[in-house]
Amino acid sequence: MHDDRSLVEARLRRVLDERIRPAVYPESVPLDVAVWHAPGEPVPVAEGLAAEPGPIEVGARWGAPWGTSWFRVTGTVPEEWAGRTVEALLDLGFDENMPGFQCEGLVYRPDGTPVKGLNPRNQWVRIGAPVAGGEQVRLHVEAASNPVILDYHPFRPTRLGDKDTAGQEPQYTLARMDLAVFDETVWQLVLDLEVLGELMAELPADAQRRWEILRAVERALDAIDLQDVNGTAEQARARLTEVLSVPAVPSAHRISAVGHAHIDSAWLWPLRETVRKVARTTANMTALIEDEPDFVFAMSQAQQWAWVKEHRPEVWARVKKAVADGRFVPAGGMWVESDTNMPGSEAMARQFVHGKRFFLDEFGIENDEAWLPDTFGFAAGLPQIIRAAGSTRLLTQKISWSQTNRFPHHTFQWEGIDGTRIFTHFPPVDTYNCSMKGSELAHATRNFKDKGRARHSLAPTGWGDGGGGTTREMVAKAARVRDLEGSPAVVWETPAEFFKKAEAEYPDPPVWVGELYLELHRATLTSQARTKQGNRRSEHLLREAELWATTAAVRTGFPYPYEELDRVWKTVLLHQFHDILPGSSIAWVHREARATYQRIAAELDGIIEAAQRALVGEGDRPLLFNAAPHSRHGIPAGGAGEEERLEEVTVSERPEGGRILSNGLLRIEIDARGLVVSAYDLAADRETIAPGAAANLLQLHPDFPNMWDAWDVDAFYRNAVTDLTDTDGLTVGEDGRSVRIARSFGSSRVTQVLSLPPGERRLLIDTEVDWHETEKFLKLAFPLDLHAERYASETQFGHFHRPTHTNTSWEAAKFEACNHRFIHLDEPGWGVAIVNDSTYGHDVTRAVRTDGDRGTTTTVRVSLLRAPRFPDPETDQGIHRFRHALVPGAGIADAVREGWRINLPERRVTGAREVAPLVTVDNDAVVVTAVKLADDGSGDVVVRFHEAQGGRARARLTTGFEVAGVEVADLLERPLDSPIPDRDGDGLTVRLRPFELMTLRFKRT
């Protein structure tokens, strides 16, 4: 037989495109359209419905950037359409390739009842099936003219990302507003042919099954009269029945399809627009659930559920019913799908506390999985947090984006820093926006790396990023491949049902230990520095507010601000979303974030001040409040007292030029260039800085990645570097206790103040940058005289080690990594810490010196600023302030302590009395991360702590209040079936494994 495969396949494509698809709607009549443009921000639904619209025609331009237009469409169903299915086709000017990234709409009935959302892949509204003929149609569309930011030529700078700079030029052309007859037989034929054509294309060219499909398709096309598609569609479908009825082979891969709409809580749109995106999507999904009995939809991010409840109560009622029916499923148990690299320990814990508690309070549902399909890598401390919140599973997809190395598993156990393991699945379909295409399903089958041991995977199915969700076409395709030869077998299931099957068939999966590093999007650790600073500051202010408010409540009856703290926590958690905290959102998002963080700081400072005033009373004694988990200046952790006096610091001229700082512990030499050429540990008789090198060295790189500007820094950025050592315009001065350095470069200026606090073994570096560069990367370098094959960087509830070498491609790919408050390097018996108050990105490299002592130089470089132009063309322009400290002679305990110290500066208050700590711990290896009152308002005191040095620890925890009982609790403050630590008078003894996290709940007498 001649090979006519290409001929038939080309025929199928053309007939589908030019004859069959257009015949889905064989008859149509135009609707009358009127529009009212809201003058500013979106208005309440009732106001939009009541507004008096003006006329507009199809073909007219509409919609200023970020505007809202209320369209009213009216018409009459023709009498001759009686007995047929009729739909309204409402095309606002969509580009079908951009669902979620352009204009969208939500359709309402005149009484304000939401009907469904409109997007490029979902433009229809059912009028009747069948209609009687003569029905009056009146619909209202709340249309959002969100501009296209990520266009066909992506990553080009645009001013459309902020309503203040976007202008008023209409963005869209009204394309179609019709009533049309819907021919379901033709629609079903389209899907028959699409499924078979896509399946056929994925089968081997010499496979029997491929040729059987080809001949069936050919017979179906022969049966179609191209001048009467609607009249011949049924007989064409009949010729496909047999080939669509052949069951899948017993060994076929099994896919659990989960209806899904990954909605970024902010990204190329502001937070306020996400509120409406969620409403549109949930309206669509509840409507689809009513029409499709097998369909199941899962939605994560409790914040988004809360938005629907608050802003769209009519949609919320439908959501609640679908949840009760088991068809609309809460997923993930987090407040938002947050970044997991940068949030601090307590913040990461509270993501689960607030997320899981919302679903429990609203629905009595506790889901068992963390659901993070799009997060940019996963910190090694996360498994313990997931488990401590009462969950045991994780789903993500993003690791498939890694550029260098292919992750070796799709289903595995992920082990964190403390030994906790979480059952983890990466969907091999390699997308969280699966549309049930044959190519996607075939890829999932071929790509699945656990063949022979497992055969179940999950496919999040529906348009996402900007929302939209699953379509009726996707559901129809899934029905055809439920049991079809040549295809994986697809069934709609909840995440819990999938995980139950996956765990049962794979009881002993492989183990991956340590962080799940994404070999992409590394620059998100640095972009939008003010957003990151706002997050870090807010986290520590919340710690202080809870600590002092709890202490004051127990000691003085101070009214604990439950509602205020709950609200602020949720706001901070929202801004940890994986496109806000990472700095990859439009200018509008970050402008609002900066203002939000300022409001949060003012509110929390007010709570802290009020609580401290209640504790110390009125008086004139100078008192120091210490919110850190370690004592300092003679003040115990969590207490307040008078500061001890320390010896002064000396500043002297350096003979070769520059200055020398000394405090009896360290001797710091700063040369005439403003660089640290010596940091001598006097007690250890040891130099910190590598011979011939200089620390506090600012370095500038070009920074123009191949794509994903705000997200990526590509390895080639290192090929060119400028050391900022030019002395033109340089000034080096002193004020008696510190050295001040000012220098200019490019269009920017930097001022640094180097100081050596009395009695402390740390060099403080305060850096102010007036930044006006573009597409540049600013680093702060510390070349250290250390031979270290690995280094530690802080993560949630502990630290994680990374190699300093690049033996393998896995190590080489980690050329930019994340730390929290500290980085620590050491040789046996002596080490160095570099701590910070607000930066996250860094790199560590090592080199062997070729002259002199031929020792090893290990260089730590802190990432300060970038200047990408997409999606925010003005990223980080302006003034920034950073604080770092170099700590010579530091062990890991010193690194932990100094990291807390630099982020929780002392507060000076005058009052009448000192404040004893509410809780004390006698072992610095055990770090208290939270002291708070229980969220249920019982007045119980909750204390959370962990082992912070990576070893086993025994500690006595003493309470400064009368205790009636104590229990071990999970993160949601629920009792665990765990042994109670040994009690002894006013204290108890705890024993912790390396990095073990524990929460105790104390009942007061």
Side-chain angles (χ1 to χ4, degrees):
M1 181 181 292
H2 297 296
D3 185 352
D4 61 348
R5 178 169 47 86
S6 298
L7 189 68
V8 177
E9 291 171 354
R11 179 188 179 195
L12 172 61
R13 287 191 295 271
R14 185 175 185 192
V15 172
L16 262 176
D17 287 343
E18 298 185 21
R19 293 292 187 271
I20 303 178
R21 288 195 183 97
V24 171
Y25 293 103
E27 300 176 55
S28 64
V29 296
L31 287 160
D32 293 324
V33 189
V35 66
W36 175 73
H37 303 293
E41 284 293 279
V43 299
V45 173
E47 184 177 342
L49 293 174
E52 187 59 38
I56 188 173
E57 300 290 334
V58 168
R61 300 282 290 169
W62 72 277
W66 307 113
T68 300
S69 299
W70 282 84
F71 290 95
R72 185 186 68 196
V73 294
T74 56
T76 304
V77 176
E79 297 284 353
E80 58 271 24
W81 289 0
R84 303 170 79 176
T85 297
V86 174
E87 294 180 344
L89 300 181
L90 308 177
D91 185 345
L92 300 174
F94 297 125
D95 179 338
E96 69 170 15
N97 295 317
M98 292 186 180
F101 291 90
Q102 53 178 285
C103 59
E104 301 171 48
L106 182 55
V107 181
Y108 294 90
R109 296 187 179 94
D111 64 359
T113 304
V115 181
K116 66 190 295 285
L118 296 177
N119 63 58
R121 299 298 181 97
N122 211 326
Q123 303 178 21
W124 58 275
V125 178
R126 180 64 57 88
I127 301 301
V131 296
E135 291 94 334
Q136 297 298 307
V137 175
R138 183 185 178 99
L139 298 170
H140 298 261
V141 181
E142 180 190 19
S145 51
N146 302 330
V148 175
I149 305 294
L150 193 67
D151 211 334
Y152 287 101
H153 300 286
F155 316 118
R156 292 191 176 178
T158 174
R159 297 286 178 178
L160 291 172
D162 194 328
K163 66 176 181 177
D164 291 345
T165 60
Q168 295 296 314
E169 182 69 23
Q171 299 291 293
Y172 297 100
T173 301
L174 199 62
R176 185 177 186 181
M177 294 277 162
D178 289 346
L179 284 178
V181 172
F182 175 69
D183 190 327
E184 184 170 356
T185 301
V186 176
W187 181 79
Q188 296 284 6
L189 176 60
V190 168
L191 291 161
D192 290 344
L193 291 170
E194 284 184 354
V195 166
L196 290 171
E198 291 166 4
L199 173 59
M200 180 171 56
E202 299 301 324
L203 295 171
D206 58 355
Q208 174 74 17
R209 175 65 169 161
R210 179 164 184 161
W211 287 92
E212 288 174 353
I213 294 172
L214 185 81
R215 293 302 165 219
V217 167
E218 185 176 42
R219 290 192 296 272
L221 294 176
D222 289 342
I224 295 173
D225 181 347
L226 297 184
Q227 276 66 52
D228 185 16
V229 172
N230 302 88
T232 55
E234 190 63 54
Q235 64 193 51
R237 289 200 72 204
R239 296 189 179 188
L240 298 173
T241 301
E242 182 178 351
V243 76
L244 282 167
S245 302
V246 182
V249 297
S251 62
H253 185 68
R254 308 288 173 176
I255 292 180
S256 297
V258 178
H260 188 241
H262 170 67
I263 303 177
D264 287 310
S265 290
W267 179 27
L268 305 180
W269 44 86
L271 287 167
R272 66 89 154 146
E273 192 56 34
T274 313
V275 175
R276 302 200 296 176
K277 283 178 174 287
V278 174
R280 297 171 199 130
T281 298
T282 52
N284 261 349
M285 295 303 95
T286 52
L288 191 60
I289 283 170
E290 292 172 0
D291 293 340
E292 301 290 348
D294 294 331
F295 176 62
V296 176
F297 181 77
M299 189 169 89
S300 67
Q301 306 192 74
Q303 170 69 89
Q304 296 188 359
W305 292 70
W307 279 334
V308 178
K309 180 182 179 182
E310 179 183 356
H311 297 282
R312 291 293 191 274
E314 320 84 12
V315 180
W316 179 247
R318 289 163 54 176
V319 168
K320 288 186 68 175
K321 180 181 182 304
V323 172
D325 293 340
R327 308 278 305 285
F328 200 118
V329 182
M334 296 175 67
W335 191 246
V336 295
E337 290 181 10
S338 73
D339 180 82
T340 72
N341 286 313
M342 291 176 281
S345 303
E346 274 303 308
M348 201 73 254
R350 304 300 175 95
Q351 286 286 351
F352 288 91
V353 169
H354 288 282
K356 297 196 81 168
R357 188 171 286 146
F358 181 89
F359 294 138
L360 283 164
D361 291 347
E362 295 294 335
F363 309 113
I365 290 174
E366 182 168 9
N367 41 299
D368 201 31
E369 76 287 333
W371 185 275
L372 294 165
D374 192 32
T375 296
F376 309 152
F378 300 88
L382 188 58
Q384 178 175 210
I385 298 172
I386 294 172
R387 181 78 67 170
S391 296
T392 60
R393 301 156 170 169
L394 168 68
L395 178 135
T396 184
Q397 180 272 322
K398 199 67 172 186
I399 300 298
S400 69
W401 286 42
S402 285
Q403 288 179 317
T404 306
N405 298 287
R406 298 285 292 172
F407 197 81
H409 318 295
H410 281 106
T411 302
F412 59 99
Q413 291 276 8
W414 177 29
E415 181 178 318
I417 56 174
D418 73 313
T420 297
R421 291 181 177 181
I422 296 295
F423 189 86
T424 304
H425 181 66
F426 293 169
V429 71
D430 279 353
T431 177
Y432 48 78
N433 296 324
C434 177
S435 62
M436 284 291 134
K437 285 183 180 178
S439 57
E440 294 170 333
L441 301 180
H443 176 75
T445 301
R446 288 192 296 264
N447 188 41
F448 188 55
K449 291 183 171 61
D450 302 286
K451 297 182 184 76
R453 296 184 180 272
R455 59 173 181 160
H456 278 84
S457 70
L458 186 144
T461 302
W463 299 115
D465 290 316
T470 318
T471 65
R472 62 182 178 184
E473 289 77 15
M474 296 175 193
V475 176
K477 283 188 169 186
R480 286 162 172 78
V481 296
R482 183 182 182 94
D483 189 14
L484 182 63
E485 183 186 356
S487 171
V490 177
V491 61
W492 294 104
E493 290 187 308
T494 66
E497 289 168 333
F498 160 75
F499 274 110
K500 183 178 179 180
K501 290 180 179 179
E503 288 176 324
E505 74 171 1
Y506 210 3
D508 190 24
V511 177
W512 181 270
V513 179
E515 67 181 333
L516 294 171
Y517 180 91
L518 177 63
E519 296 170 357
L520 193 74
H521 293 0
R522 303 167 180 90
T524 57
L525 302 173
T526 306
S527 296
Q528 297 287 359
R530 294 185 190 91
T531 299
K532 291 170 171 57
Q533 289 178 324
N535 173 74
R536 179 76 71 84
R537 183 67 177 136
S538 297
E539 289 180 350
H540 288 85
L541 284 170
L542 277 161
R543 171 194 170 81
E544 286 194 85
E546 288 183 340
L547 171 64
W548 302 127
T550 301
T551 306
V554 172
R555 296 275 170 72
T556 72
F558 178 80
Y560 191 80
Y562 290 101
E563 292 183 4
E564 294 89 340
L565 290 172
D566 180 79
R567 173 174 42 76
V568 172
W569 262 118
K570 288 173 179 175
T571 301
V572 172
L573 298 178
L574 167 59
H575 285 79
Q576 291 177 342
F577 179 74
H578 65 252
D579 277 307
I580 304 179
L581 180 54
S584 47
S585 289
I586 56 174
W588 189 348
V589 173
H590 293 289
R591 172 172 55 80
E592 289 190 332
R594 292 191 293 271
T596 298
Y597 285 131
Q598 288 177 350
R599 289 195 302 271
I600 286 172
E603 183 170 4
L604 293 176
D605 278 331
I607 292 172
I608 293 165
E609 181 180 359
Q612 290 177 339
R613 280 275 159 233
L615 285 165
V616 301
E618 293 298 326
D620 57 5
R621 289 180 64 187
L623 299 168
L624 209 64
F625 273 85
N626 175 20
H630 310 93
S631 62
R632 57 187 177 189
H633 302 309
I635 312 301
E642 294 190 19
E643 183 177 9
E644 63 183 12
R645 294 185 176 276
L646 300 170
E647 292 184 13
E648 287 299 312
V649 177
T650 64
V651 182
S652 59
E653 293 286 338
R654 182 172 178 265
E656 302 93 331
R659 302 289 191 279
I660 297 174
L661 290 168
S662 181
N663 67 354
L665 299 174
L666 295 178
R667 182 175 183 272
I668 307 297
E669 294 191 33
I670 303 161
D671 72 4
R673 300 171 298 170
L675 305 179
V676 175
V677 292
S678 175
Y680 205 81
D681 182 347
L682 296 171
D685 191 22
R686 171 75 184 255
E687 177 59 66
T688 306
I689 310 302
N696 190 42
L697 173 64
L698 290 162
Q699 295 182 304
L700 196 64
H701 293 269
D703 184 18
F704 189 61
N706 289 343
M707 56 193 303
W708 298 109
D709 294 40
W711 296 256
D712 283 0
V713 56
D714 291 329
F716 55 73
Y717 89 92
R718 293 179 171 183
N719 296 349
V721 61
T722 300
D723 292 345
L724 301 183
T725 59
D726 194 339
T727 56
D728 288 346
L730 175 72
T731 62
V732 178
E734 63 177 84
D735 66 359
R737 295 186 59 177
S738 61
V739 175
R740 181 182 181 87
I741 304 147
R743 70 176 80 243
S744 298
F745 61 94
S747 301
S748 304
R749 182 170 178 80
V750 59
T751 302
Q752 292 183 296
V753 176
L754 277 59
S755 58
L756 203 55
E760 297 177 13
R761 197 166 55 182
R762 59 176 179 148
L763 171 65
L764 280 175
I765 303 171
D766 289 285
T767 303
E768 179 179 288
V769 186
D770 190 2
W771 180 246
H772 296 285
E773 308 305 304
T774 58
E775 296 167 354
K776 295 289 193 296
F777 197 3
L778 185 64
K779 292 263 190 176
L780 181 63
F782 298 88
L784 307 174
D785 189 11
L786 267 175
H787 179 80
E789 294 186 359
R790 67 175 192 169
Y791 71 97
S793 57
E794 189 187 31
T795 188
Q796 294 98 2
F797 298 111
H799 56 266
F800 177 67
H801 286 99
R802 297 186 184 93
T804 60
H805 57 75
T806 55
N807 283 356
T808 71
S809 59
W810 294 88
E811 292 142 358
K814 295 182 181 181
F815 58 82
E816 185 79 5
C818 182
N819 65 278
H820 286 189
R821 288 167 292 217
F822 71 78
I823 294 169
H824 179 258
L825 307 92
D826 65 356
E827 295 174 356
W830 193 85
V832 177
I834 296 170
V835 300
N836 71 85
D837 74 342
S838 59
T839 56
Y840 296 92
H842 70 271
D843 67 82
V844 178
T845 55
R846 65 201 299 266
V848 174
R849 300 187 286 272
T850 56
D851 55 2
D853 64 357
R854 299 171 67 182
T856 301
T857 298
T858 304
T859 301
V860 178
R861 299 198 308 160
V862 176
S863 302
L864 295 182
L865 289 166
R866 299 182 69 238
R869 300 180 66 207
F870 182 89
D872 177 3
E874 299 293 330
T875 300
D876 276 334
Q877 300 298 295
I879 295 176
H880 303 267
R881 296 178 180 87
F882 307 96
R883 170 167 277 199
H884 294 84
L886 175 68
V887 190
I892 195 68
D894 301 302
V896 173
R897 183 186 66 252
E898 295 301 334
W900 279 101
R901 180 200 294 263
I902 202 169
N903 282 274
L904 282 169
E906 304 92 335
R907 290 180 182 261
R908 287 173 166 79
V909 179
T910 57
R913 55 184 174 268
E914 297 186 350
V915 179
L918 205 59
V919 176
T920 59
V921 180
D922 68 355
N923 184 345
D924 277 355
V926 177
V927 171
V928 175
T929 60
V931 176
K932 60 188 292 294
L933 291 189
D935 291 339
D936 61 7
S938 63
D940 293 355
V941 175
V942 173
V943 181
R944 187 153 33 250
F945 51 90
H946 71 287
E947 195 290 316
Q949 297 179 18
R952 292 183 180 268
R954 179 182 183 278
R956 178 176 170 80
L957 188 150
T958 305
T959 56
F961 57 94
E962 294 294 323
V963 174
V966 61
E967 59 190 15
V968 181
D970 69 3
L971 293 181
L972 276 70
E973 303 170 4
R974 302 173 298 190
L976 292 172
D977 186 18
S978 299
I980 304 297
D982 299 332
R983 291 187 64 184
D984 176 17
D986 61 351
L988 47 81
T989 299
V990 296
R991 293 173 174 84
L992 300 178
R993 300 183 308 274
F995 300 128
E996 182 180 359
L997 165 65
M998 183 177 288
T999 302
L1000 296 179
R1001 179 168 178 157
F1002 294 90
K1003 188 173 293 296
R1004 293 154 56 198
T1005 57

